[in-house]
Amino acid sequence: MKARSTTTTAVLKINDEDHAVAFPVHHTLLEVLREECGLTGTKHGCELGECGACAVLVDGEPVLSCLMLAAEAGDRNIETIEGLQRNNDLHPLQTAFADLGATQCGYCIPGILMLAKALLEREPDPSEGQIREALSGNLCRCTGYNRIVLAVQWAAAMARGDDWRPPPEAFHSTSLPQASA
Amino acid sequence: MLRLPPIDYRSPQRLEEVIATLASENVRLVAGGTDLWPNMKRRHQLADTVVSLMSVPGLRGIEHGKDGVKIGALTSLADIVRDDKMRALWPAFTRAVASISSPPLRSMATIGGNLCVDTRCTYYNQTEEWRRSIDYCLKEKGTICWVATKSPRCWAHSASDSAPILCALDAQVKLIGPDGERVIPVSALFRDDGIDYLCKKSDEILTELLIPAGSDQDHCRSAFWKLRRRGSIDFAVLSVAAAVWTDTKNTVTRATVYLGAVGSSPVSIDVESLLVGQPLNEDLIKQVAQRAQKAATPMDNTDFAAAWRGKMANNYTHAALNEIAGLPVRCAPPKHGLTVV
Amino acid sequence: MPKSDSKPAVKASKDNPELRLIGTPFRRVDGRTKVTGQLQFADDLSFPRMVYVKLVRSTVPHANIKNIDCSEARKMPGVVDIMLGEELPVPYGILPVSRDEHALAINKVRFVGDPVAAVAALTEDQAHEAALAVKVKYEVLPTIDSIQTALKTPEPRIHEYGDEGNLHKKVSLEFGAVDEGFEQADVVLEDTVFFQGNTHLPIEQHAAVAVAEDEDRVTLYSSTQTPHYVHRALARVLQIPASRIRVIACSVGGGFGGKTDPFNHEIIVTKLALKLGRPVKATLTREEVFYCHRGRHPVLMNLRTGFRKDGSMTAQHLRTALDGGGYGSYGVASTFYTGALQTTTYTLPAYRFEAVRAFTNKPPCGPKRGHGTPQPRFAYEIHLDKAAEKLRIDPAELRLRNLLPANSVTANWLEVGSTGLRQCIEAVVAGSGWKERYGKLPEGRGLGLACGAYMCGAGLPIYWNHMPQSGVQLKLDRSGGVAIFCGQAEVGQGSDSVLAAIVAEILGISLADVRLCVADTDLTPVDLGSYSSRVTLMMGQAAMQAAERARELIAKAVGAQLEIPENYLVFADNRVFYSGDPDKGLSFSEAVIAAEARFGTLGTTGSYTPPRAPGRYRGAGVGPSPTYSFTAAILEVEVDPQTGLYNVDHVWLAHDIGRAINPVLVLGQIEGSVYMGLGEAIMEEQEFRRLPKRLSPSLVHKMPSLLEYKSPGFHDMPEITSYLVETDDERGPFGAKEVGQGPLLPIMPALANAVYDAVGVRVDQVPIRPDLVLKGLQAKAKGKEARVGPANFPEIDFGDPVLVHTPEQGGDGRAVDDPKAKRRTGVGSSTGTMKERDQALKEKDSAALTTN
């Protein structure tokens, strides 16, 4: 096996900003984003394409950054979690996730938000089944997923200018049945 | 973080250059990278040089013609799933591709890569450190197949979901090598050996796939059923791909059934001798399902109890053929991959 | 002076119906940083000159180390240092009774994955390459692969301590007249049950970065739930004063109990930072996280209970055998927990509990969400389902008949205060249509009910001391901002939000005006950490005290300045004003200025120490809690009788939360618990491969990956209906109880019970794999017993039981052979309720005062 690897350089276009970086050619986009560009919002949970935590968008398509060489990302349009907000305004997905408690520890959330963004761009009014399928490559151990699905529906409504909100029982206890004697 | 070992990486724009590079020592070919990179990170596949096919133009896209549909080897699984015409013509193929791994992986992975995906085994798909602790295995560096310790062969199982359905649909692949190109049936691409599982030469490149037309005229109905623990991410622990051609009188003229993940290659079930010349009925389906159970060789090298997976080959074959025959389907598969996004 | 029609202001408290924040859904305080990628987890940190550590781990399950050859590795590019066990000779362990770990193995390895060397290099690539080049020679010892093997193989011992051979801990406790109880029973039921081990699987892999400061000062940033315990372990192992070590717990990317031990890599990076004088980082791979483990113990159980015809219970005997893995971890506590909380849901007059924890050559087990209680709870709740059938009583009715009354002292001397279990059962029964549907659904479809109870913080700390378990400091100044300092660690459960909300509520300010400084051992007062569901209650009480003290100071100053009696001042809407005339008042910052002028620099503290529990026998330390949460759940399942495959369609769950501080976060904890419970019930298994003995000693984790260790995904979740039952507990802050762990408990037994209702098959083990369901169906079809589960419980000598009289018997909480015990003449009353006992104690105290 080779002891030393080749170093390469690239200008990566990330969230519409150019990053000129030098990195070993065997380094993945995940490693270069986090370690060369300082964009640590993209997380990792397995580095084998099994959990979705490292998902980013490349030319609008969701991609597992742990399975893509940074060298392959040179002239492409990369979007990461850091680019989701516009100036200081949250994207509707971010607002919905924060307000609905769809994020608990928050570690898997950047990847999920990027998948959700790609979904909403393709399908502004997704069904529950479409949301579950679009996000099904992303594992979360905190939330139990249902609240995330609801948050995506809420965000989709916000983005469409629809005033639909999640039902009251998403925020409060379901009404207790009248206690029997 | 688990990282790749150092490599030289090349991404030439000419196919000839890729083929020429493959002639050197310790070179591996990569396309979408979803199989090779994890294998290299775990170091059960190693290379000094990795040569990518991704910069070679003309190897991606779906072309519907009168001979059938041609799919470039670099076409992403996501693009196949989203092709409306494909879904209309070969719903079982779309269903199989839509069930592969997860959405972000499908937007990276290529159909050529999925056909050639390495065989899998829970004694093999492990890190270098883990494999040291079992003193490796027959498939890589070791001398024993831990799945069947007295066996002289490797029992790693076929892991492609597209392979069984493409076999069942009589699809063909084009291979280009230093000596030119050849077209072979997908079913001839595989060999029943966990190590040497492809009949493709190491410097041959799978460039194109053809699903022959005529299927709809001949009333071909197909089905794909996949068993796995979860509704996404997981490889199949059993898949059943079936295609049945009938004439205008509903008599079967041709039929194919292939099982995935219960052998080192897609397992062909002899169904023609049972079905051809007869209309598909509950009794015949039962007999096919029993043949499937017999032909399956599930081993304890993936998820779920092996014996139960063997039994499921019966149930799932039954379900797939019932679906084709329009009979009620009773199995409750895990909810998965049926929603297209 | 106050107007005649004005009333004294009501303080923000649990009695106040006009709470502004508490009980209202609000965005968690870390919500924004968690959706923007701004929040930094431990692995997101990097420092100039930082080097990376990779651990070389054992490739054999049980062996003496003969030689470690680092010569080749040392020569490799970028290698800065290679450290071996001799450099860290002091052992550690979370429990003082089992300090059996070394940061790097010395002489011996105990499982595949046990660290033997640490390689530091300039890049992680280089560290990994060099780690692969370290050669270790082992002298292989016999592999102890299970409880059964450990019982049969006392030698060689995995550890040189423990109760005997390879048995780490043996417990034998007897409360009340158990044999008599069984004699009085009309029906005695016995079940043998197995609960497979599983792991936390946080998506964030553990990471730690240490930064050397002065020559003998160091800061460790780590993904830990328990910075205080890591701090103590570092001081012990590194043998430098704790005052020179600073531990900062970064936001944790999922814990569930898996980040509550001090870990090898934390100690190693801290040692290396001090040795090399530069920052050192270790980030574990997914496989290494499986080796850290500390997850759910595999437990084999035998449960025997006597019932009267009316469904009441006369006695219970529970035996548990735990597969502990290679180290102690929390194991002694886990062992007691497999029996301690068995008495908290239903009235049990007499109870015998015997347990054993074995050492095996696997990654160590420890505390996972529910710590030791999900296993016996599973056994108990399926056992009750069978009893209900035998006694011809509806399973919900059987539970309601046996409910432990509020304010009880249990047979094993736990004080159970408020309980909402009745309301919980009634809620899920009504919500699911249980009465109309249970037992009446078409073949293949079924409903299952189960309940549970959990602690709101362990009554005792991990190490014996008289200090508070939680401390909070407030700093207020003329800016109007309030800084809150507390050692608690946010692990995703929302503890930061609970802390901020309690202080903001009491001081009448908005969440935006409080700033948190948490989990930093240099800056924050000690809180023991995020485990045992202790934070809301304990930190909450400390925060209330600190905030009330601050409010008192401000009220004094404002009252004096505005000439209004302090108790007529309202703190709300970022103002402090007169209750009779809201226009008369000051802004909060003006109010703080008044107080700062009057009292000088402002700061207050609050602390919380749990009340002492009444049990005085050996082992009584495990189980007591200030109060308990209760849960009931019903699952609906559809089973395919041809394959054994099934889907859970709906979960109705009701939880006694005391009071919901933020209902959105409470619901999130419930849904997460249901999810994790379903994972355990349906698919999750920490499984090992034992290679054929004639060919190899190897015992390896079967599938240390996110792909092959199956955790449910987006497609695998049912609909969940959650009911919050608010019992307003007098010991909880604003009445609140825990919600992080309790709601998981009923899920596994409810599934087993639902499968039985659906197809008449009893699966007495988890996970309930489809092949097991099918096996049961095939047995049933052949007219055999439709049960799948362990055949028998091994013969184990648990030793002589510690006999303790129950409150009912008039015991005093001590063991009967304890010389201090007052046999049947103690302070216990015949009913044994908490209030009556308190009364008796008061009378005894006053008697003591007058006679002395």
Side-chain angles (χ1 to χ4, degrees):
Chain A
M1 194 194 308
K2 293 168 60 68
R4 277 171 197 281
S5 76
T6 325
T7 296
T8 187
T9 58
V11 178
L12 299 182
K13 191 177 167 202
I14 307 166
N15 304 324
D16 283 328
E17 293 166 6
D18 286 345
H19 292 250
V21 278
F23 51 88
V25 73
H26 66 282
H27 276 199
T28 59
L29 182 58
L30 169 71
E31 290 156 46
V32 172
L33 283 173
R34 289 176 55 82
E35 293 160 5
E36 312 301 335
C37 306
L39 296 171
T40 55
T42 300
K43 305 303 182 197
H44 58 96
C46 66
E47 302 92 67
L48 294 168
E50 300 169 354
C51 73
C54 68
V56 299
L57 305 186
V58 175
D59 296 336
E61 282 277 333
V63 154
L64 299 167
S65 63
C66 73
L67 295 187
M68 180 178 195
L69 293 186
E72 284 288 344
D75 39 19
R76 306 178 70 179
N77 184 22
I78 302 161
E79 294 171 75
T80 70
I81 184 67
E82 288 89 351
L84 197 50
Q85 70 194 77
R86 281 285 159 263
N87 294 322
N88 208 25
D89 296 330
L90 295 183
H91 187 281
L93 280 165
Q94 293 172 309
T95 305
F97 272 59
D99 287 344
L100 201 57
T103 166
Q104 287 187 24
C105 84
Y107 194 83
C108 68
I109 294 301
I112 288 177
L113 284 169
M114 296 319 285
L115 264 299
K117 178 176 192 268
L119 169 68
L120 294 192
E121 275 165 14
R122 196 175 284 277
E123 175 53 71
D125 189 8
S127 67
E128 182 189 330
Q130 284 175 313
I131 296 169
R132 285 192 189 270
E133 176 56 21
L135 304 182
S136 67
N138 292 59
L139 293 174
C140 167
R141 288 292 278 175
C142 295
T143 62
Y145 304 110
N146 294 358
R147 200 159 279 276
I148 291 175
V149 175
L150 207 52
V152 175
Q153 288 173 321
W154 191 11
M158 284 184 215
R160 294 193 309 268
D162 185 337
D163 60 4
W164 180 87
R165 276 174 66 84
E169 57 268 25
F171 298 94
H172 294 279
S173 170
T174 299
S175 306
L176 287 170
Q178 288 303 307
S180 59
Chain B
M1 249 199 254
L2 196 60
R3 296 169 192 254
L4 285 169
I7 46 165
D8 262 343
Y9 180 72
R10 292 179 210 167
S11 194
Q13 297 190 349
R14 289 174 49 246
L15 190 62
E16 298 74 36
E17 213 176 313
V18 177
I19 293 168
T21 312
L22 285 173
S24 324
E25 286 278 295
N26 289 327
V27 180
R28 283 186 184 273
L29 181 68
V30 71
T34 57
D35 187 34
L36 182 70
W37 298 139
N39 293 352
M40 286 191 69
K41 285 183 177 187
R42 289 183 301 239
R43 301 178 187 231
H44 49 75
Q45 288 188 336
L46 292 171
D48 289 339
T49 301
V50 173
V51 57
S52 171
L53 208 49
M54 297 303 269
S55 299
V56 177
L59 295 183
R60 73 190 76 200
I62 300 167
E63 203 183 299
H64 292 277
K66 59 178 190 318
D67 297 341
V69 60
K70 283 183 186 165
I71 308 171
L74 296 187
T75 308
S76 78
L77 303 180
D79 283 343
I80 292 172
V81 173
R82 290 188 191 121
D83 191 286
D84 292 334
K85 204 162 177 194
M86 186 83 75
R87 195 175 323 130
L89 286 172
W90 291 286
F93 175 59
T94 298
R95 189 167 166 169
V97 176
S99 79
I100 295 167
S101 190
S102 69
L105 193 129
R106 289 200 292 273
S107 59
M108 306 173 76
T110 65
I111 187 66
N114 186 261
L115 269 175
C116 298
V117 71
D118 193 9
T119 55
R120 297 184 65 83
C121 173
T122 42
Y123 290 97
Y124 166 71
N125 296 101
Q126 303 279 4
T127 63
E128 169 67 20
E129 291 89 336
W130 191 99
R131 285 176 295 112
R132 277 185 185 181
S133 62
I134 62 161
D135 201 17
Y136 305 100
C137 74
L138 196 56
K139 188 162 160 71
E140 201 255 342
K141 282 199 268 198
T143 54
I144 295 173
C145 174
W146 292 109
V147 181
T149 52
K150 287 183 180 142
S151 163
R153 59 162 285 192
C154 161
W155 286 93
H157 66 85
S158 165
S160 168
D161 286 316
S162 61
I165 186 68
L166 288 171
C167 288
L169 292 172
D170 294 335
Q172 298 168 330
V173 286
K174 188 196 279 183
L175 303 173
I176 301 183
D179 307 328
E181 66 175 68
R182 58 184 178 129
V183 174
I184 60 167
V186 173
S187 56
L189 183 62
F190 303 103
R191 180 182 288 145
D192 186 21
D193 182 275
I195 297 168
D196 203 6
Y197 62 96
L198 285 179
C199 298
K200 178 178 89 63
K201 294 184 203 113
S202 64
D203 55 358
E204 271 186 319
I205 293 174
L206 193 161
T207 57
E208 193 179 86
L209 172 70
L210 173 80
I211 308 178
S215 302
D216 48 346
Q217 294 95 316
D218 291 356
H219 301 283
C220 171
R221 275 166 296 168
S222 56
F224 178 81
W225 281 64
K226 174 168 173 172
L227 176 65
R228 57 176 162 180
R229 193 76 74 127
R230 300 176 288 189
S232 187
I233 304 174
D234 292 339
F235 283 90
V237 298
L238 163 74
S239 61
V240 179
V244 177
W245 288 258
T246 48
D247 62 16
T248 46
K249 291 174 195 150
N250 231 13
T251 305
V252 175
T253 56
R254 171 159 168 63
T256 52
V257 174
Y258 281 84
L259 306 181
V262 285
S264 295
S265 63
V267 177
S268 170
I269 311 300
D270 170 26
V271 287
E272 297 235 305
S273 60
L274 272 175
L275 302 184
V276 170
Q278 307 198 53
L280 204 53
N281 63 42
E282 182 73 38
D283 183 54
L284 288 172
I285 290 172
K286 213 170 171 177
Q287 291 181 51
V288 174
Q290 280 162 357
R291 284 192 181 184
Q293 184 172 353
K294 243 184 183 164
T297 49
M299 308 295 278
D300 179 23
N301 61 356
T302 181
D303 189 30
F304 279 131
W308 179 77
R309 282 166 57 217
K311 164 90 177 72
M312 289 306 103
N314 185 321
N315 293 68
Y316 270 56
T317 304
H318 204 289
L321 289 172
N322 269 15
E323 184 191 324
I324 286 173
L327 295 166
V329 175
R330 282 196 305 267
C331 273
K335 308 160 189 166
H336 71 73
L338 306 178
T339 316
V340 173
V341 288
Chain C
M1 287 305 292
K3 287 183 195 168
S4 56
D5 61 343
S6 65
K7 282 187 253 162
V10 184
K11 284 184 189 174
S13 77
K14 63 188 181 189
D15 305 320
N16 186 349
E18 289 172 15
L19 295 173
R20 298 161 306 112
L21 257 175
I22 305 290
T24 310
F26 60 87
R27 178 187 288 183
R28 53 187 302 147
V29 296
D30 52 3
R32 187 183 173 99
T33 58
K34 280 182 171 172
V35 296
T36 56
Q38 193 185 344
L39 186 73
Q40 288 196 306
F41 296 85
D43 187 47
D44 299 339
L45 303 176
S46 73
F47 297 89
R49 296 184 69 240
M50 187 166 83
V51 297
Y52 297 80
V53 165
K54 185 78 190 165
L55 301 184
V56 179
R57 292 172 182 272
S58 170
T59 54
V60 292
H62 195 192
N64 293 320
I65 299 172
K66 298 313 285 178
N67 179 47
I68 304 174
D69 176 5
C70 304
S71 53
E72 194 185 316
R74 280 189 202 280
K75 287 183 227 150
M76 292 183 62
V79 172
V80 174
D81 192 32
I82 298 180
M83 192 161 69
L84 303 180
E86 297 91 76
E87 292 191 53
L88 290 161
V90 181
Y92 65 94
I94 184 70
L95 299 186
V97 295
S98 48
R99 290 198 181 110
D100 57 4
E101 300 183 53
H102 283 93
L104 293 164
I106 297 178
N107 301 330
K108 186 167 176 171
V109 290
R110 295 176 173 87
F111 67 93
V112 170
D114 213 358
V116 294
V119 179
L122 298 178
T123 68
E124 199 175 19
D125 284 330
Q126 292 167 333
H128 190 197
E129 293 301 330
L132 287 171
V134 172
K135 295 186 186 82
V136 189
K137 272 207 182 104
Y138 297 103
E139 175 193 55
V140 170
L141 297 169
T143 305
I144 314 286
D145 61 359
S146 65
I147 301 164
Q148 286 81 357
T149 313
L151 286 166
K152 284 190 300 215
T153 321
E155 298 285 342
R157 298 182 79 181
I158 293 174
H159 285 281
E160 291 306 314
Y161 81 105
D163 280 352
E164 66 179 55
N166 279 310
L167 303 183
H168 175 204
K169 181 70 191 168
K170 299 206 300 188
V171 173
S172 183
L173 292 167
E174 185 159 342
F175 306 96
V178 175
D179 292 334
E180 247 170 71
F182 278 114
E183 279 164 27
Q184 289 160 9
D186 298 315
V187 176
V188 175
L189 216 68
E190 182 171 352
D191 276 304
T192 303
V193 175
F194 179 63
F195 199 110
Q196 173 65 297
N198 52 58
T199 199
H200 320 83
L201 206 76
I203 304 297
E204 179 207 29
Q205 300 132 316
H206 306 47
V209 193
V211 182
E213 284 143 4
D214 294 329
E215 55 269 25
D216 61 350
R217 287 179 71 94
V218 63
T219 298
L220 174 74
Y221 301 85
S222 186
S223 47
T224 177
Q225 300 176 241
T226 51
H228 174 65
Y229 293 139
V230 172
H231 190 208
R232 282 174 56 82
L234 286 175
R236 183 185 160 81
V237 178
L238 303 181
Q239 305 217 276
I240 54 177
S243 56
R244 295 179 200 167
I245 302 167
R246 178 181 182 185
V247 177
I248 297 174
C250 299
S251 274
V252 173
F256 319 111
K259 295 170 181 168
T260 53
D261 284 60
F263 284 105
N264 316 61
H265 63 276
E266 294 175 314
I267 293 166
I268 288 162
V269 295
T270 313
K271 173 75 180 175
L272 278 169
L274 283 166
K275 187 178 171 188
L276 302 174
R278 61 197 298 178
V280 182
K281 182 186 213 173
T283 303
L284 302 189
T285 63
R286 177 53 55 189
E287 181 178 348
E288 291 178 289
V289 175
F290 280 94
Y291 296 148
C292 287
H293 190 43
R294 323 284 159 155
R296 185 89 67 230
H297 284 76
V299 185
L300 184 60
M301 293 164 280
N302 179 274
L303 182 61
R304 206 159 58 91
T305 309
F307 294 89
R308 289 196 193 84
K309 281 185 187 136
D310 66 359
S312 60
M313 289 181 267
T314 58
Q316 184 169 96
H317 180 193
L318 170 66
R319 290 181 289 164
T320 66
L322 296 77
D323 181 344
Y327 289 95
S329 181
Y330 283 80
V332 171
S334 318
T335 309
F336 280 106
Y337 275 130
T338 61
L341 301 191
Q342 204 74 346
T343 55
T344 50
T345 41
Y346 317 111
T347 303
L348 259 185
Y351 175 47
R352 183 186 295 142
F353 166 56
E354 294 168 310
V356 65
R357 181 181 193 260
F359 281 128
T360 56
N361 295 120
K362 302 176 192 172
C365 297
K368 184 188 171 198
R369 205 173 199 168
H371 192 190
T373 66
Q375 301 97 325
R377 179 55 61 183
F378 175 72
Y380 201 175
E381 296 289 327
I382 59 177
H383 191 66
L384 282 177
D385 221 53
K386 296 180 192 186
E389 188 179 22
K390 200 152 203 167
L391 298 165
R392 296 172 188 276
I393 302 171
D394 174 83
E397 174 61 22
L398 178 69
R399 287 170 171 87
L400 288 170
R401 284 187 197 177
N402 279 296
L403 285 181
L404 185 78
N407 301 312
S408 296
V409 179
T410 65
N412 59 340
W413 291 90
L414 302 180
E415 285 186 343
V416 177
S418 68
T419 163
L421 187 51
R422 173 175 298 278
Q423 296 97 300
C424 288
I425 294 174
E426 285 169 350
V428 294
V429 161
S432 66
W434 173 267
K435 285 179 184 165
E436 304 76 44
R437 300 170 68 224
Y438 172 72
K440 296 168 194 146
L441 292 169
E443 180 70 11
R445 188 164 274 279
L447 290 174
L449 165 73
C451 301
Y454 202 68
M455 307 181 299
C456 302
L460 293 179
I462 296 286
Y463 63 100
W464 177 246
N465 70 78
H466 291 284
M467 293 174 283
Q469 288 207 31
S470 186
V472 170
Q473 285 180 342
L474 301 186
K475 188 219 81 176
L476 303 86
D477 69 22
R478 57 203 82 176
S479 71
V482 177
I484 311 173
F485 299 83
C486 178
Q488 65 86 16
E490 169 68 61
V491 300
Q493 83 280 45
S495 55
D496 279 2
S497 302
V498 169
L499 179 59
I502 285 174
V503 172
E505 178 73 56
I506 291 170
L507 296 179
I509 57 179
S510 64
L511 287 170
D513 292 313
V514 299
R515 187 169 282 277
L516 298 181
C517 173
V518 299
D520 179 334
T521 60
D522 259 13
L523 302 184
T524 61
V526 170
D527 174 278
L528 295 183
S530 289
Y531 67 95
S532 88
S533 272
R534 51 178 297 287
V535 180
T536 292
L537 191 138
M538 298 198 188
M539 173 201 73
Q541 288 288 14
M544 279 186 89
Q545 190 179 54
E548 277 166 3
R549 285 173 174 170
R551 186 176 58 186
E552 212 168 291
L553 290 176
I554 296 167
K556 267 203 177 87
V558 173
Q561 186 172 322
L562 301 183
E563 298 183 333
I564 300 166
E566 293 153 40
N567 59 342
Y568 282 74
L569 287 171
V570 178
F571 285 65
D573 306 325
N574 277 44
R575 291 183 74 241
V576 181
F577 55 90
Y578 172 41
S579 63
D581 177 6
D583 290 339
K584 197 172 172 187
L586 300 176
S587 72
F588 185 75
S589 58
E590 288 166 342
V592 176
I593 287 167
E596 201 177 336
R598 188 180 170 95
F599 300 110
T601 300
L602 291 176
T604 61
T605 62
S607 50
Y608 180 77
T609 310
R612 199 172 170 205
R616 293 287 178 275
Y617 56 91
R618 268 179 76 88
V622 178
S625 175
T627 186
Y628 298 83
S629 76
F630 295 88
T631 315
I634 290 176
L635 262 63
E636 181 162 351
V637 71
E638 183 166 23
V639 184
D640 172 29
Q642 304 299 315
T643 59
L645 287 164
Y646 60 87
N647 277 316
V648 177
D649 291 338
H650 202 127
V651 176
W652 294 266
L653 187 141
H655 182 69
D656 168 11
I657 179 66
R659 179 184 294 270
I661 295 206
N662 181 349
V664 169
L665 296 191
V666 171
L667 294 169
Q669 287 300 305
I670 288 175
E671 290 157 20
S673 294
V674 169
Y675 156 80
M676 197 163 274
L678 286 172
E680 298 191 15
I682 298 170
M683 57 179 84
E684 292 184 34
E685 292 188 74
Q686 173 99 341
E687 261 197 295
F688 293 84
R689 291 259 195 216
R690 177 75 178 93
L691 295 190
K693 284 178 192 165
R694 67 196 154 81
L695 297 172
S696 167
S698 195
L699 178 67
V700 283
H701 194 293
K702 190 173 174 184
M703 49 214 166
S705 71
L706 285 174
L707 175 64
E708 294 299 341
Y709 178 95
K710 304 299 180 187
S711 68
F714 269 93
H715 285 305
D716 311 311
M717 279 299 288
E719 196 179 326
I720 302 169
T721 303
S722 304
Y723 304 96
L724 307 186
V725 170
E726 299 202 307
T727 47
D728 202 3
D729 191 85
E730 62 182 4
R731 286 179 173 172
F734 294 97
K737 300 186 183 184
E738 74 88 35
V739 64
Q741 308 193 65
L744 174 141
L745 300 170
I747 302 302
M748 297 72 82
L751 176 61
N753 292 341
V755 166
Y756 181 72
D757 187 39
V759 290
V761 169
R762 284 281 173 205
V763 182
D764 289 347
Q765 67 184 70
V766 291
I768 299 168
R769 294 195 316 262
D771 58 300
L772 301 179
V773 176
L774 187 62
K775 203 172 149 194
L777 282 159
Q778 287 167 341
K780 190 181 162 194
K782 285 180 194 153
K784 294 186 192 155
E785 188 192 14
R787 172 191 180 266
V788 184
N792 49 44
F793 190 87
E795 282 294 319
I796 300 171
D797 173 17
F798 293 96
D800 292 333
V802 172
L803 197 62
V804 182
H805 285 311
T806 64
E808 290 253 357
Q809 291 176 303
D812 65 353
R814 294 181 198 278
V816 292
D817 58 356
D818 184 333
K820 289 186 197 154
K822 295 188 181 67
R823 203 164 299 187
R824 291 178 189 255
T825 57
V827 294
S829 70
S830 58
T831 55
T833 70
M834 256 164 83
K835 280 192 178 129
E836 283 159 335
R837 203 186 63 82
D838 283 351
Q839 189 57 39
L841 275 170
K842 270 183 208 150
E843 282 164 16
K844 183 177 165 255
D845 285 349
S846 58
L849 280 174
T850 49
T851 48
N852 290 350

